[in-house]
Amino acid sequence: MSFRFLELPAEIRDQIYHEILSCNNARHPPADDDDPASYHFDLAILRTNRQIHHESKKAFQDNIFVKITTPWSESIDHISSDGRVPMITVGPAAESFKSFHLWVWIDAPGVGARETAYSMVISLDDLPAFTLMWRFSNLTHGGLNPHLRLKLILQDPHVPDRKIPKALQMRLLQPFGLVKSLHSFSLHGAMVLPSVEEALRKEQATPEPLPEECLETATTLKDAGNKSLQAKDYPTALQYYTDAFAAIHITVSGRKRYVHADGYYDREITSGTYTGQRSDYVRLMLRVKLVANFIQTYLKMEKWEEARFWGKRSIVLFRTSLTGRVAEDLDGDFDKDWVWAKNSAGMGFPAKDDMGKILYRTALASRELGYEKEDLNLIQAAAIYLPNDPIVQAEKKKKVDDYDWFG
């Protein structure tokens, strides 16, 4: 018995079209966390027959697209690769694409229509990721934005000159509040509401918080997380610690941490709690403290794998920065006698105590998971960083005495 699709009620057909053609359902997670998501639209249904084409086209048009154009091809690559912003399409298909609600045109004085243009199309849902990436780039490379011009063109791609609803205008324009100190900025098209434009320009005019303000905020959030940890409210503690990382321009996504705006912290602090210290120095100390607190929270939650992952990742990165040797293991001969740990502890590493806590707490997670040699190695390293901690020193003595060195 054949199935007659067009005999289904219109509302059922409409639901099916949206299932097939919406951005949400076309989005696929990346194979690797460092890559952006991808979009794969099955447009074959548009070619089925005239009636289905007419009906399904409306479902596809319900997607909200943003077109980004620039004279620099490397900028398009940067947005996708470094910014991990998913693309709908890029290249000639993007350059000829007309069904966008917002056109983002980025160039610089002296660079204009004479130059070749490069475009990409993204979903509205990914626009905040794009503007956040732009914000981080400007902070990392101080003085980038004063050399750039931004033109935003708002339109209804399906009904020319139709006013776009306020809620949609806000979703399309508010993310650009993060893009500050531009050489010039202009807004065009589709009857932009004065209240929406005013809110956008007000946010653009609000300066970025100074490094010392970011560090103060992160410290406050860290302390709030510690209180939640003591109160055994572990999910809230983790959220506070995640927000503390974000306050100093480090984003946490699952098991990944992405560090941004290093150049922004290359200065001395002139006010507040950390007056007289270097911003990058204080930021490093806070990063180590937050990792130690993440591990402690996971231990309390008995999430041994997460505790070990966060600890091991930080230990491996720290060891690599000191020795230049890249190795994932923590139970090999390389760590025999822990020469690198002794050397770094002797150099007065600023977050030495918190690094010791990371080593000790990672050892506890490794122990729970049955990694006996790793546990032993980490306890010995923790004892180097925490020479006055009686618990760590007692554990070290017991572990060394009890370990079966001949297996």
CSV table of all heavy atoms in Angstrom, one decimal, residues 5 13-14 16-18 20-21 43-63:
chain,number,residue,atom,x,y,z
A,5,PHE,N,1.8,11.2,0.8
A,5,PHE,CA,2.3,12.3,1.7
A,5,PHE,C,1.3,13.5,1.7
A,5,PHE,O,1.0,14.0,2.8
A,5,PHE,CB,3.7,12.7,1.4
A,5,PHE,CG,4.2,13.9,2.2
A,5,PHE,CD1,4.7,13.6,3.5
A,5,PHE,CD2,4.3,15.2,1.7
A,5,PHE,CE1,5.2,14.7,4.2
A,5,PHE,CE2,4.8,16.2,2.4
A,5,PHE,CZ,5.2,16.0,3.7
A,13,ARG,N,2.2,18.0,7.7
A,13,ARG,CA,3.2,18.2,6.7
A,13,ARG,C,4.2,19.3,7.1
A,13,ARG,O,5.4,19.3,6.9
A,13,ARG,CB,2.6,18.5,5.4
A,13,ARG,CG,1.7,17.4,4.8
A,13,ARG,CD,1.5,17.6,3.3
A,13,ARG,NE,0.9,18.8,2.9
A,13,ARG,CZ,-0.4,19.1,2.9
A,13,ARG,NH1,-1.3,18.2,3.2
A,13,ARG,NH2,-0.8,20.3,2.5
A,14,ASP,N,3.6,20.4,7.7
A,14,ASP,CA,4.4,21.5,8.1
A,14,ASP,C,5.4,21.1,9.2
A,14,ASP,O,6.6,21.6,9.2
A,14,ASP,CB,3.5,22.7,8.6
A,14,ASP,CG,4.3,23.9,8.9
A,14,ASP,OD1,5.0,24.4,7.9
A,14,ASP,OD2,4.2,24.5,10.0
A,16,ILE,N,6.7,18.2,9.5
A,16,ILE,CA,7.8,17.4,8.9
A,16,ILE,C,8.8,18.3,8.1
A,16,ILE,O,10.0,18.1,8.2
A,16,ILE,CB,7.1,16.4,7.9
A,16,ILE,CG1,6.3,15.3,8.7
A,16,ILE,CG2,8.1,15.7,7.0
A,16,ILE,CD1,5.4,14.4,7.8
A,17,TYR,N,8.2,19.3,7.4
A,17,TYR,CA,9.1,20.2,6.7
A,17,TYR,C,10.1,20.9,7.7
A,17,TYR,O,11.3,21.0,7.4
A,17,TYR,CB,8.3,21.3,6.0
A,17,TYR,CG,7.4,20.8,4.9
A,17,TYR,CD1,6.1,21.4,4.8
A,17,TYR,CD2,7.7,19.8,4.1
A,17,TYR,CE1,5.3,21.0,3.8
A,17,TYR,CE2,6.9,19.3,3.1
A,17,TYR,CZ,5.6,19.9,3.0
A,17,TYR,OH,4.8,19.5,2.0
A,18,HIS,N,9.6,21.3,8.9
A,18,HIS,CA,10.5,22.0,9.8
A,18,HIS,C,11.5,21.0,10.4
A,18,HIS,O,12.6,21.4,10.7
A,18,HIS,CB,9.6,22.6,11.0
A,18,HIS,CG,9.0,23.9,10.6
A,18,HIS,ND1,7.9,24.1,9.9
A,18,HIS,CD2,9.5,25.2,10.8
A,18,HIS,CE1,7.6,25.4,9.7
A,18,HIS,NE2,8.6,26.1,10.2
A,20,ILE,N,12.9,18.6,8.9
A,20,ILE,CA,13.9,18.4,7.8
A,20,ILE,C,14.8,19.6,7.6
A,20,ILE,O,16.0,19.5,7.4
A,20,ILE,CB,13.2,17.9,6.5
A,20,ILE,CG1,12.6,16.6,6.7
A,20,ILE,CG2,14.3,17.9,5.4
A,20,ILE,CD1,11.7,16.2,5.5
A,21,LEU,N,14.1,20.8,7.6
A,21,LEU,CA,14.8,22.0,7.1
A,21,LEU,C,15.2,23.0,8.2
A,21,LEU,O,15.8,24.1,7.8
A,21,LEU,CB,13.9,22.7,6.1
A,21,LEU,CG,13.6,21.8,4.8
A,21,LEU,CD1,12.5,22.5,4.0
A,21,LEU,CD2,14.9,21.6,4.0
A,43,LEU,N,18.1,19.2,1.2
A,43,LEU,CA,17.2,20.1,0.4
A,43,LEU,C,16.4,19.3,-0.7
A,43,LEU,O,15.7,20.0,-1.5
A,43,LEU,CB,18.0,21.2,-0.2
A,43,LEU,CG,18.7,22.2,0.8
A,43,LEU,CD1,19.5,23.2,0.1
A,43,LEU,CD2,17.7,22.8,1.8
A,44,ALA,N,16.6,18.0,-0.7
A,44,ALA,CA,16.0,17.3,-1.8
A,44,ALA,C,14.5,17.4,-1.8
A,44,ALA,O,13.8,17.4,-2.9
A,44,ALA,CB,16.3,15.8,-1.7
A,45,ILE,N,13.9,17.6,-0.6
A,45,ILE,CA,12.4,17.7,-0.5
A,45,ILE,C,11.9,18.9,-1.3
A,45,ILE,O,10.8,19.0,-1.8
A,45,ILE,CB,12.0,17.8,0.9
A,45,ILE,CG1,10.4,17.6,1.0
A,45,ILE,CG2,12.4,19.1,1.6
A,45,ILE,CD1,10.0,17.4,2.4
A,46,LEU,N,12.8,20.0,-1.5
A,46,LEU,CA,12.4,21.2,-2.2
A,46,LEU,C,12.2,20.9,-3.7
A,46,LEU,O,11.6,21.6,-4.4
A,46,LEU,CB,13.4,22.3,-2.0
A,46,LEU,CG,13.5,22.9,-0.6
A,46,LEU,CD1,14.7,23.7,-0.5
A,46,LEU,CD2,12.3,23.8,-0.4
A,47,ARG,N,12.8,19.7,-4.1
A,47,ARG,CA,12.7,19.4,-5.6
A,47,ARG,C,11.7,18.3,-5.9
A,47,ARG,O,11.7,17.7,-7.0
A,47,ARG,CB,14.1,19.0,-6.0
A,47,ARG,CG,15.2,20.1,-5.9
A,47,ARG,CD,16.5,19.7,-6.5
A,47,ARG,NE,17.2,18.6,-5.8
A,47,ARG,CZ,18.0,18.8,-4.7
A,47,ARG,NH1,18.2,20.1,-4.3
A,47,ARG,NH2,18.6,17.8,-4.1
A,48,THR,N,10.9,17.9,-4.9
A,48,THR,CA,9.9,16.8,-5.1
A,48,THR,C,8.9,17.1,-6.1
A,48,THR,O,8.7,16.4,-7.1
A,48,THR,CB,9.3,16.5,-3.7
A,48,THR,OG1,10.3,16.2,-2.8
A,48,THR,CG2,8.4,15.2,-3.9
A,49,ASN,N,8.1,18.2,-5.9
A,49,ASN,CA,7.1,18.7,-6.9
A,49,ASN,C,6.8,20.1,-6.5
A,49,ASN,O,7.2,20.6,-5.5
A,49,ASN,CB,5.9,17.8,-7.0
A,49,ASN,CG,5.1,17.7,-5.7
A,49,ASN,OD1,4.9,18.7,-5.0
A,49,ASN,ND2,4.6,16.5,-5.3
A,50,ARG,N,5.9,20.7,-7.3
A,50,ARG,CA,5.7,22.1,-7.1
A,50,ARG,C,5.0,22.4,-5.8
A,50,ARG,O,5.4,23.4,-5.1
A,50,ARG,CB,4.8,22.6,-8.3
A,50,ARG,CG,4.6,24.1,-8.3
A,50,ARG,CD,3.8,24.6,-9.5
A,50,ARG,NE,4.7,24.4,-10.7
A,50,ARG,CZ,4.3,24.6,-11.9
A,50,ARG,NH1,3.1,25.2,-12.2
A,50,ARG,NH2,5.1,24.4,-13.0
A,51,GLN,N,4.0,21.6,-5.4
A,51,GLN,CA,3.3,21.9,-4.2
A,51,GLN,C,4.2,21.7,-3.0
A,51,GLN,O,4.2,22.6,-2.1
A,51,GLN,CB,2.0,21.0,-4.1
A,51,GLN,CG,1.3,21.2,-2.8
A,51,GLN,CD,0.0,20.3,-2.6
A,51,GLN,OE1,-0.4,19.7,-3.6
A,51,GLN,NE2,-0.5,20.3,-1.4
A,52,ILE,N,4.9,20.6,-2.9
A,52,ILE,CA,5.8,20.4,-1.8
A,52,ILE,C,6.9,21.5,-1.7
A,52,ILE,O,7.3,21.9,-0.7
A,52,ILE,CB,6.4,19.0,-1.9
A,52,ILE,CG1,5.3,17.9,-1.6
A,52,ILE,CG2,7.5,18.8,-0.8
A,52,ILE,CD1,5.7,16.5,-1.7
A,53,HIS,N,7.4,21.9,-2.9
A,53,HIS,CA,8.4,23.0,-2.9
A,53,HIS,C,7.8,24.2,-2.3
A,53,HIS,O,8.5,24.9,-1.5
A,53,HIS,CB,8.8,23.2,-4.4
A,53,HIS,CG,9.7,24.5,-4.5
A,53,HIS,ND1,11.1,24.4,-4.3
A,53,HIS,CD2,9.4,25.8,-4.7
A,53,HIS,CE1,11.6,25.6,-4.5
A,53,HIS,NE2,10.6,26.5,-4.7
A,54,HIS,N,6.6,24.6,-2.7
A,54,HIS,CA,6.0,25.8,-2.2
A,54,HIS,C,5.8,25.7,-0.7
A,54,HIS,O,6.0,26.7,0.1
A,54,HIS,CB,4.6,26.0,-2.9
A,54,HIS,CG,3.9,27.2,-2.3
A,54,HIS,ND1,4.2,28.5,-2.6
A,54,HIS,CD2,2.8,27.3,-1.5
A,54,HIS,CE1,3.4,29.3,-2.0
A,54,HIS,NE2,2.5,28.6,-1.3
A,55,GLU,N,5.3,24.5,-0.2
A,55,GLU,CA,5.0,24.4,1.3
A,55,GLU,C,6.3,24.3,2.1
A,55,GLU,O,6.4,24.9,3.1
A,55,GLU,CB,4.2,23.1,1.5
A,55,GLU,CG,2.8,23.2,0.9
A,55,GLU,CD,2.0,21.9,1.1
A,55,GLU,OE1,2.7,20.8,1.5
A,55,GLU,OE2,0.8,21.8,0.9
A,56,SER,N,7.3,23.5,1.6
A,56,SER,CA,8.5,23.3,2.4
A,56,SER,C,9.4,24.6,2.4
A,56,SER,O,10.2,24.8,3.3
A,56,SER,CB,9.3,22.1,1.9
A,56,SER,OG,9.6,22.3,0.5
A,57,LYS,N,9.3,25.4,1.3
A,57,LYS,CA,10.2,26.6,1.2
A,57,LYS,C,9.9,27.5,2.4
A,57,LYS,O,10.8,28.1,2.9
A,57,LYS,CB,9.9,27.3,-0.1
A,57,LYS,CG,10.7,28.5,-0.3
A,57,LYS,CD,10.4,29.2,-1.7
A,57,LYS,CE,11.2,30.4,-1.9
A,57,LYS,NZ,10.9,31.1,-3.2
A,58,LYS,N,8.6,27.6,2.8
A,58,LYS,CA,8.3,28.4,3.9
A,58,LYS,C,9.0,28.0,5.2
A,58,LYS,O,9.4,28.8,6.0
A,58,LYS,CB,6.7,28.4,4.2
A,58,LYS,CG,6.3,29.1,5.4
A,58,LYS,CD,6.6,30.6,5.4
A,58,LYS,CE,5.9,31.4,6.5
A,58,LYS,NZ,6.3,30.9,7.8
A,59,ALA,N,9.1,26.6,5.4
A,59,ALA,CA,9.8,26.1,6.6
A,59,ALA,C,11.2,26.5,6.6
A,59,ALA,O,11.8,26.9,7.6
A,59,ALA,CB,9.6,24.6,6.7
A,60,PHE,N,11.9,26.4,5.4
A,60,PHE,CA,13.3,26.8,5.3
A,60,PHE,C,13.5,28.3,5.5
A,60,PHE,O,14.4,28.7,6.2
A,60,PHE,CB,13.8,26.4,3.9
A,60,PHE,CG,15.3,26.7,3.8
A,60,PHE,CD1,16.2,25.9,4.5
A,60,PHE,CD2,15.8,27.7,3.0
A,60,PHE,CE1,17.6,26.1,4.3
A,60,PHE,CE2,17.2,28.0,2.9
A,60,PHE,CZ,18.1,27.1,3.6
A,61,GLN,N,12.5,29.1,5.1
A,61,GLN,CA,12.6,30.5,5.3
A,61,GLN,C,12.4,31.0,6.7
A,61,GLN,O,12.7,32.1,7.1
A,61,GLN,CB,11.6,31.2,4.4
A,61,GLN,CG,11.9,31.1,2.9
A,61,GLN,CD,10.9,31.8,2.0
A,61,GLN,OE1,9.7,32.0,2.4
A,61,GLN,NE2,11.2,32.0,0.7
A,62,ASP,N,11.9,30.1,7.5
A,62,ASP,CA,11.7,30.4,9.0
A,62,ASP,C,13.1,30.4,9.7
A,62,ASP,O,13.2,30.9,10.8
A,62,ASP,CB,10.8,29.4,9.7
A,62,ASP,CG,9.3,29.7,9.3
A,62,ASP,OD1,9.0,30.8,8.9
A,62,ASP,OD2,8.5,28.8,9.5
A,63,ASN,N,14.1,29.9,9.1
A,63,ASN,CA,15.5,30.0,9.7
A,63,ASN,C,15.9,31.4,9.5
A,63,ASN,O,15.6,32.2,8.6
A,63,ASN,CB,16.4,29.1,8.9
A,63,ASN,CG,16.1,27.6,9.1
A,63,ASN,OD1,16.0,27.2,10.2
A,63,ASN,ND2,16.0,26.9,8.0
